[in-house]
Amino acid sequence: MQTSPLDGLHDVIVPTQVSWWPLAPIWWVIIAILLLTISFTGYKLYQTYQFKKAKRHAVLLSNQYDDDAQQLHILIKRLVLHYYGQSAASQGTKQWCKTINKLTGQQFTEGELMSLYQANSEQSALADKLKLAISQFKLKEPLNV
């Protein structure tokens, strides 16, 4: 009787389950890149939040000074001083008018701004315009006026 050549083979050995730990080096690289990206994004969001803090505070203060045009004008001056520096905040009336028109999207005239320095003048319309200007104040506008 002839023996079958298959009789000499051993049974199939099932391989053991491959463990997921320790991770392969490429996974460590992916995890590190992911953590760095999340950290960088969080840091940039925090910087943006801090950068816009002065404007948020000015908007809150503008709600307190609803009809006081002089105080609202001072708030705009403070915003320009904070974001654009001393040279932008200390301009003459004509240049200051152009600057706030550009930064706020409103159209102020020199007469309106000069009326802030007159005693006993009713300026509720100007106060509303200044309050709107504070809420629309642009933070990253180049000042080549």
Side-chain angles (χ1 to χ4, degrees):
M1 181 148 130
Q2 216 177 10
T3 61
S4 170
L6 295 177
D7 289 340
L9 294 176
H10 297 290
D11 289 337
V12 175
I13 300 173
V14 179
T16 59
Q17 188 69 10
V18 177
S19 175
W20 62 275
W21 194 262
L23 295 177
I26 190 67
W27 284 110
W28 288 110
V29 171
I30 291 171
I31 290 170
I33 289 172
L34 187 65
L35 286 176
L36 286 172
T37 303
I38 291 171
S39 299
F40 182 74
T41 304
Y43 177 70
K44 284 299 188 184
L45 288 173
Y46 177 73
Q47 275 187 329
T48 304
Y49 179 79
Q50 290 295 354
F51 181 73
K52 294 179 180 180
K53 192 176 189 179
K55 181 180 176 186
R56 283 193 309 274
H57 186 65
V59 170
L60 287 175
L61 286 177
S62 72
N63 292 330
Q64 293 176 0
Y65 303 125
D66 278 333
D67 291 330
D68 193 356
Q70 289 179 337
Q71 288 298 323
L72 292 170
H73 185 251
I74 289 171
L75 281 176
I76 289 180
K77 278 266 192 189
R78 287 172 52 191
L79 279 175
V80 172
L81 179 65
H82 179 77
Y83 287 110
Y84 295 99
Q86 179 69 30
S87 62
S90 62
Q91 299 172 344
T93 306
K94 186 174 184 177
Q95 193 65 22
W96 172 247
C97 188
K98 287 180 184 179
T99 300
I100 63 171
N101 286 344
K102 184 172 185 175
L103 292 177
T104 62
Q106 299 292 319
Q107 294 303 316
F108 291 97
T109 62
E110 290 180 49
E112 286 176 329
L113 296 179
M114 290 306 290
S115 71
L116 291 169
Y117 302 105
Q118 296 173 356
N120 300 329
S121 62
E122 181 59 35
Q123 302 167 341
S124 61
L126 182 59
D128 292 337
K129 197 172 181 181
L130 286 167
K131 190 172 178 182
L132 183 62
I134 290 171
S135 66
Q136 294 179 347
F137 188 80
K138 298 174 188 170
L139 302 179
K140 295 183 178 181
E141 187 76 22
L143 282 182
N144 298 331
V145 182

